[in-house]
Amino acid sequence: MQALIVIDVQNDFCPGGALAVPQGDTIVQGINALMPDFDAVILTQDWHPAGHSSFASSHEGAEAYSVTKMPYGDQVLWPDHCIQGSMGAKFHTELHRDRADLIMRKGYNPAIDSYSAFFENDHETPTGLEGYLRTRGIDHLVMVGLALDFCVNFSAVDAANLGFEVEVRQALTRAIDLDGSLAAAVLGMRAAGVTLV
Ligand code: VGL
Ligand code: ZN
């Protein structure tokens, strides 16, 4: 059984959004076109409370895109984005959200960011997605969405480490590319056994 996992195709990650990924909106039609080919379609939605600890604005004097130490490790500090219920947190208007079996929200814990759809950034607090997929008999995942070097990367590596067969369709992703994050992500995904197509 195969699932399409669509990562964070939300307004704030598209041009004009708070954490815009260059050309983030150009992948939407291609993702829509893929959906009918899968046994399950799952959308993830970055979903932060106001004042989230991953926001630079929550850290006195910190600049957006700087890195800070959190109890669970290094954390990039982002512009405020994907605040629960905001326009920026909504899916891109053209994304076929009605085809989704499951919408998996993440990043709702005020103290821990969650790039991955499987674990929060402490790498141990589960989101529940693994159990959902396993109980549905899904073993093969195709991942697309935003951003390739953050949420797609962390989701793909976690899924591969959990034993899923994982393929990332690179043409249906776009990257932020912060200080070499894209090259590091590609190496990390390959090392974890993710197939990059
Ligand atoms: C993401 C940074 C912060 C992503 C989410 O979806 O890649 N990146 N929150
Ligand atoms: Zn976020």
Side-chain angles (χ1 to χ4, degrees), residues 91-135:
F91 292 111
H92 185 286
T93 46
E94 282 164 32
L95 184 70
H96 289 171
R97 81 208 69 196
D98 290 350
R99 296 207 70 126
D101 295 351
L102 175 73
I103 294 174
M104 186 77 213
R105 288 175 171 163
K106 61 184 182 61
Y108 42 72
N109 183 341
I112 315 182
D113 204 2
S114 189
Y115 294 150
S116 166
F118 292 90
F119 295 99
E120 297 189 351
N121 284 10
D122 60 2
H123 301 293
E124 61 186 44
T125 308
T127 62
L129 182 57
E130 178 192 3
Y132 177 87
L133 295 171
R134 291 210 198 281
T135 51

Side-chain angles (χ1 to χ4, degrees), residues 8 13 19 46 48 78 81 115 146-147 150-151 176:
D8 298 1
F13 297 122
L19 211 176
D46 210 37
H48 300 305
W78 303 105
H81 67 278
Y115 294 150
L146 305 170
F150 286 92
C151 291
I176 297 173

Side-chain angles (χ1 to χ4, degrees), residues 66-105:
S66 64
V67 178
T68 193
K69 297 262 183 240
M70 297 290 234
Y72 54 80
D74 284 355
Q75 170 71 49
V76 179
L77 294 177
W78 303 105
D80 290 19
H81 67 278
C82 296
I83 294 175
Q84 296 171 355
S86 68
M87 269 307 292
K90 290 193 194 308
F91 292 111
H92 185 286
T93 46
E94 282 164 32
L95 184 70
H96 289 171
R97 81 208 69 196
D98 290 350
R99 296 207 70 126
D101 295 351
L102 175 73
I103 294 174
M104 186 77 213
R105 288 175 171 163

